Amino acid sequence: MITTYKELITNSVVLKPARQDLMDEHGLRRSVNTLKQAVSVTSTANSQVFSIVVRDHNASASAVIANQIATTFKSQVKQIIKVNNVTIVAPAETPDAPVSPKKMINILLGLVMGLLLGLVYASVRILTNRRVQTLEFLTDDLQLTSLGLVNHQPVVATKADNLAAKQRPQTAAKPAIKRV
């Protein structure tokens, strides 16, 4: 019987009148397809009780929609299946915190994925590095003879360069840029 109820609740037989009541009484405008995607019915095994779950971008609207669908279902099931023992056990309440998205889980997941992606990228860069790092690799592994080394010397500033830098006039823009 619960399966039949699930089918009725997510069908247009209940959603169309619920949609009309939502527009008339609460001013909520949703299409039948939007309601169909937002509504799900859950139940536990071996139980006659089921829950109507509505996911919407507005928390108070989701509670109103769930309550309206439950009320519409209760009135429609009497006409369709001729069942009079359907009762609403508890009305839907507005949740205090958003159900989705879970920001902390998303941040942690992004952090872990970023670290893993960084490690994979670094590993691939190291493993595919084909540059010669040491002289010993050339002489020992490739058995090439060393003809000499080229040293890289740092640039040394001369006295003439220092004097020219001191004698340049400073404009008002330079100190402002330095402060930023």
Side-chain angles (χ1 to χ4, degrees):
M1 197 68 159
I2 298 293
T3 310
T4 306
Y5 290 164
K6 286 180 183 181
E7 289 297 320
L8 285 174
I9 289 172
T10 57
N11 202 333
S12 62
V13 172
V14 172
L15 293 180
K16 277 186 181 178
R19 176 182 173 264
Q20 190 62 41
D21 291 341
L22 285 169
M23 286 194 308
D24 295 342
E25 296 174 15
H26 304 286
L28 293 173
R29 298 195 179 278
R30 305 286 192 276
S31 68
V32 175
N33 286 334
T34 305
L35 288 175
K36 192 178 282 191
Q37 291 173 354
V39 173
S40 62
V41 180
T42 59
S43 64
T44 57
N46 300 327
S47 175
Q48 293 289 327
V49 179
F50 60 90
S51 300
I52 298 174
V53 178
V54 177
R55 291 191 184 264
D56 194 70
H57 61 276
N58 186 348
S60 60
S62 65
V64 169
I65 291 169
N67 288 330
Q68 187 60 52
I69 288 174
T71 305
T72 306
F73 170 72
K74 184 178 176 181
S75 66
Q76 292 291 326
V77 78
K78 290 178 184 176
Q79 298 169 5
I80 297 170
I81 306 178
K82 309 282 190 268
V83 174
N84 289 329
N85 63 352
V86 174
T87 57
I88 298 173
V89 176
E93 297 175 359
T94 304
D96 295 333
V99 177
S100 175
K102 297 187 186 316
K103 290 182 182 177
M104 283 307 293
I105 291 175
N106 288 348
I107 289 171
L108 289 174
L109 187 64
L111 184 66
V112 168
M113 290 301 292
L115 287 172
L116 286 175
L117 212 59
L119 287 173
V120 167
Y121 177 74
S123 299
V124 167
R125 288 277 306 214
I126 289 170
L127 292 174
T128 59
N129 186 3
R130 295 176 50 115
R131 288 181 277 168
V132 175
Q133 302 293 329
T134 62
L135 179 64
E136 287 78 26
F137 175 75
L138 289 174
T139 56
D140 296 341
D141 295 345
L142 299 179
Q143 295 171 354
L144 298 173
T145 56
S146 173
L147 297 176
L149 293 174
V150 177
N151 287 332
H152 296 284
Q153 307 240 340
V155 177
V156 178
T158 62
K159 272 190 172 182
D161 291 337
N162 289 337
L163 284 175
K166 287 180 184 177
Q167 292 175 353
R168 276 191 229 139
Q170 290 191 353
T171 61
K174 277 191 175 177
I177 291 173
K178 287 180 184 175
R179 275 185 256 138
V180 174

